[in-house]
Amino acid sequence: MTAYISRHFLFNKPHIICYNQVMKICFIPIDNRPVCYNLAKDICAIDETIELYIPPREMLGDLTKSADIEGIFDWLNNLPKDLNCIITSLDTLAYGGLIPSRRIKDSYEEIKQRLERLKPFFIGKKVYAFSSIMRISNNNYNEEEKEYWSEWGKKIFEFSYNSCKLKSHIETDIPKAILEDYLTTRKRNFAINALYLDWQKEGIFDTLIFSKDDCAEFGFNVSEAIMLENWGATTKTGADEIPLSLLARSIPKQISVFPQFIEPEYKDKISNYEDISIEKSVLGQLELGGFNIANNQRDADIVLVINNFKEKQGELVMGWDTEPYKWGFKLPNKHYAAADVRYANGADNEFVKTLFNYKLPDYGFSAWNTSANTLGSLLAAIKVKYNAFKYNDLAFKKLQAIRFLDDWAYQANVRGQITEPRDISNLMKPFEEKISLKLGLPIRAKYSYPWNRKFEIEVSII
């Protein structure tokens, strides 16, 4: 047995971890976006003893195509028999991905038969799984929905919201055929989620999570979550980050984290696209990731600094303003990570400026998409780094460079300067230089648009 001395210290004593094998993790993402595919690989690279088995990227779904489910089933059957755990998006295996879960026409029976083939592979293994509760977006954009969403999406959202709020039937001018199709899809997906609960009772899953994506206070998705909870299910606000939250949970070593809010008197406020307060979102992500919650900085291994918003979370791209960070909060004088959720879909420039002027968080920074997305992915990186059996500092710096380039440089700055996907190398260069200097990491980066839209970029450090 080989012993490694960790680079981290507890109470000024070396944290010594002994092991005699690598950790073999099977990881099946929601789709092939960088935050679903690359981010998992980048986080696991921090610990060289983690062997991550992830399907070839071309097998996974994207904005317009479903995953190759048969190909993934064949891939699963050729994995090592001594896997430590399986972390999976059930939406990928049932429907071909998160977006196809709202689009495909397959019947309940067809999907059930497909899923039954998984049972022999799952039995006897530690399986950390999640399935989405079908979202209801509050707009007329059909990019990720069925075609009719471009005309009726907002009205379907309003019908859902008011029906559940008033708890009665309401009149609507949504065409009958469209409403019936939408409700039939919802009913099918809910029945599949109920099937997973039966599997849980059979002991198939170590952990089963139902995700609440793009939630409002009322709606069919909220009502379905309550029903599942009444049947014993665990639901969490979020979606894309949950496989990473489950990755954190799969690592058994404990970490004590103290969540420190920059605006503590506003931690009861609700983030955009979520249905719970930012405090409950933080605590829920910590619980799901298998962390201990400390009562103060002194007793914590890591301080999680949350740059939360005041009255309302901002969003730069949507033009939703909020009060940015103002100097006055003293950053911790110990190991810390920073979850920047003052804005959705991008970092707070004033907060990042403070980090660069003071000291960057030595356990990570994140500010992508929703509050839950930011928190879950950041906590996964914390868990892997803190418990790394063979720590790779270069991999950690690369991860941080990508997050600053994506969440701060692009989402909070460059994205607003372009009208469509195009070459942004020159626009990103000043940010690259600043990040490179602060991290002590030479940066040569390439940028692409994997789904051919401005919403996300892929940052490749070469």
Side-chain angles (χ1 to χ4, degrees), residues 277-293:
S277 71
I278 184 60
E279 180 182 33
K280 288 183 179 179
S281 186
V282 169
L283 296 178
Q285 290 290 339
L286 285 166
E287 177 189 27
L288 178 57
F291 292 85
N292 295 325
I293 300 173

Side-chain angles (χ1 to χ4, degrees), residues 6-15 255-260 294 296-305 329-338 358-365 378 382 385-387 391 393 396:
S6 170
R7 300 179 184 223
H8 319 300
F9 294 86
L10 298 177
F11 309 111
N12 298 318
K13 294 181 180 179
H15 183 50
I255 305 176
S256 182
V257 172
F258 175 64
Q260 186 161 355
N296 52 62
Q297 282 196 26
R298 184 185 65 256
D299 296 336
D301 300 315
I302 306 290
V303 176
L304 176 64
V305 173
F329 176 83
K330 186 177 180 181
L331 292 171
N333 192 25
K334 64 183 309 181
H335 296 312
Y336 86 103
Y358 180 59
K359 67 170 183 177
L360 294 185
D362 58 341
Y363 269 81
F365 168 87
L378 179 60
I382 291 172
K385 178 175 179 178
Y386 189 83
N387 292 298
Y391 174 64
D393 188 58
F396 177 74

